[in-house]
Amino acid sequence: MKTVPPKISLEKHLKGLIAYDGPISVERYMGLCLAHYYGSRDPLGQRGDFVTAPEISQMFGELVGLWMADVWMTMGCPSPVRWVEFGPGRGTLTMDALRALRTTPDLMRALSVELIETSPALRQKQRETLKPFIRAGLSVRWHESLDEVPSGPCLAVANEFFDALPVRQFVAAADGWRERMVGLRDGQLVFGLAPEPNCSLPLPAIGEPETILEWPGIGLSMAADMAGRLAENGGVALIIDYGYWGYKTGDTLQALRAHAFADPLAQPGEADLTTHVDFRHLAQAAQDKGALAHGVSGQGEFLMALGIIIRAAHLKRSASPGEAAAIDAALARLTGPHPGGMGDLFKVLAIADRTLAAIPALQPLAS
Ligand code: SAH
């Protein structure tokens, strides 16, 4: 008979861990919460915790697909080529992109789909979304990390992926940057500071007391891996996320539950935890690996350059008045300014091999 292991909530587990081992870093806390959160549910959509660009409109994935087709032609149409998506959520972006790529049958024949996804719940969802393509004979495989993706040129995309990776946080103290920790006080999870400053990272000069600095070590190592792979095998990775360009301090750790902000320490593993993405650091990590970086552009400007207005007008031609209004609302949300729109807060960065000195809609960055 199959025995069911006793269930212990993540909160209880974390409290026990901290009581025995002492405070844990914000990075470890985020890692444990996010693994539980994504591993146990589909958090996307109106009935979930948050909505992403591909879930807002099919136009997003379609335009990303056509952008990739353009880059593939600039690369000299390599075959085979890997379509790689990092953190595909429900698989909607890849599905919409593949549908748009039917207009380039040579690319469809050259493609295999490689999905990098750690959540079993979301892998299942992605399999359902991509079923028509799998039935039609397209090779779709799942991987834990980029290392598992077979060699060869890549067309890679990561939408709202880097913001879901754990970061370390440091707080300016009189004696240096001290790591921000999660500990216990009166039986409750609380933020605190490491007893000693951290000297092992190349952190900038100490700022105003209490200033918080984020260090996206996991994201930087993933960007470096991506760049190393592209520099060697050829191809491009398109990174789209809520983030900033340039040096910035401050606590950007956010918890979202049912589309509302929540306390990041309340109900661990039951809310989405994100931080804003440091694009300058990602680009630098890529350039250090011998890849080129292009961008960054606002999401609005990028989608406009790819012709989103024409695509919206085309879709509206066969839409009911209600559907046409929904298309206009999606267009405004994807491209419009804050508040209400994602157009300027969300940014686009491409990492590419050195032969891709010019790519559509993004300017090369000086290295
Ligand atoms: N790109 C999708 C989903 C974004 S949510 C969209 O735009 O709709 C973040 C996604 O990254 C989820 O699919 C989550 O399960 C996945 N993920 C989070 N951490 C990961 C990791 N370390 N490795 C692979 N996938 C991860």
Side-chain angles (χ1 to χ4, degrees):
M1 210 175 84
K2 223 165 121 189
T3 51
V4 181
K7 265 207 170 154
I8 158 165
S9 75
L10 181 64
E11 184 168 1
K12 206 164 168 212
H13 172 71
L14 282 168
K15 286 179 175 173
L17 178 75
I18 294 169
Y20 277 100
D21 275 1
I24 58 175
S25 66
V26 166
E27 180 182 62
R28 182 147 183 233
Y29 175 78
M30 284 184 78
L32 290 166
C33 289
L34 286 167
H36 175 83
Y37 177 75
Y38 282 112
S40 57
R41 75 203 70 204
D42 168 10
L44 289 132
Q46 295 304 341
R47 273 182 284 155
D49 293 322
F50 59 96
V51 175
T52 57
E55 301 299 329
I56 291 170
S57 167
Q58 68 185 79
M59 294 186 284
F60 187 82
E62 289 170 349
L63 292 172
V64 168
L66 296 177
W67 184 88
M68 291 290 182
D70 206 330
V71 174
W72 178 70
M73 286 175 207
T74 310
M75 288 163 68
C77 307
S79 175
V81 65
R82 317 255 170 236
W83 173 276
V84 180
E85 186 173 359
F86 289 81
R90 291 177 164 177
T92 309
L93 190 162
T94 286
M95 175 191 65
D96 290 334
L98 291 174
R99 206 181 44 248
L101 291 182
R102 283 181 173 157
T103 55
T104 30
D106 288 350
L107 173 54
M108 277 308 275
R109 271 192 293 277
L111 265 188
S112 69
V113 173
E114 317 288 347
L115 303 176
I116 298 174
E117 174 61 71
T118 42
S119 160
L122 287 170
R123 281 187 178 199
Q124 186 52 35
K125 188 85 204 166
Q126 291 152 18
R127 194 183 307 276
E128 282 162 32
T129 305
L130 295 173
K131 207 179 256 170
F133 292 98
I134 297 171
R135 281 216 180 113
L138 184 70
S139 160
V140 180
R141 285 177 287 204
W142 280 264
H143 310 280
E144 289 285 316
S145 71
L146 184 61
D147 302 342
E148 295 178 6
V149 175
S151 64
C154 292
L155 302 170
V157 60
N159 186 62
E160 291 209 37
F161 172 74
F162 280 91
D163 72 342
L165 298 177
V167 302
R168 294 173 76 176
Q169 288 187 323
F170 293 91
V171 181
D175 54 355
W177 291 106
R178 297 233 205 150
E179 183 142 20
R180 199 172 185 218
M181 312 292 283
V182 176
L184 271 180
R185 191 189 302 135
D186 302 328
Q188 296 307 313
L189 295 171
V190 287
F191 287 114
L193 293 188
E196 303 284 335
N198 182 293
C199 307
S200 63
L201 288 175
L203 299 178
I206 198 85
E208 287 283 302
E210 310 287 311
T211 302
I212 293 186
L213 183 75
E214 293 178 342
W215 179 262
I218 294 175
L220 293 178
S221 87
M222 287 206 188
D225 283 352
M226 269 184 197
R229 165 77 189 246
L230 296 171
E232 212 170 288
N233 283 197
V236 73
L238 193 62
I239 298 169
I240 307 171
D241 233 306
Y242 186 172
Y244 57 95
W245 178 261
Y247 179 67
K248 196 178 138 180
T249 53
D251 175 18
T252 74
L253 175 61
Q254 265 179 4
L256 258 190
R257 199 167 180 199
H259 304 269
F261 291 115
D263 174 353
L265 298 184
Q267 295 180 294
E270 301 304 321
D272 181 37
L273 294 181
T274 62
T275 58
H276 297 181
V277 172
D278 177 347
F279 278 95
R280 185 185 59 93
H281 246 122
L282 290 186
Q284 187 65 54
Q287 289 172 332
D288 290 349
K289 282 280 178 181
L292 298 179
H294 300 260
V296 298
S297 159
Q299 175 175 297
E301 195 187 331
F302 180 72
L303 294 175
M304 290 289 186
L306 301 191
I308 195 168
I309 295 197
I310 297 168
R311 181 67 188 129
H314 187 86
L315 284 173
K316 284 198 311 189
R317 263 193 254 149
S318 53
S320 68
E323 286 165 348
I327 293 165
D328 282 336
L331 178 63
R333 187 141 173 227
L334 290 175
T335 62
H338 177 73
M342 305 165 77
D344 44 16
L345 294 181
F346 279 72
K347 309 234 174 332
V348 184
L349 168 74
I351 300 174
D353 76 71
R354 299 200 73 81
T355 66
L356 290 170
I359 55 175
L362 293 171
Q363 297 303 316
L365 262 172
S367 51

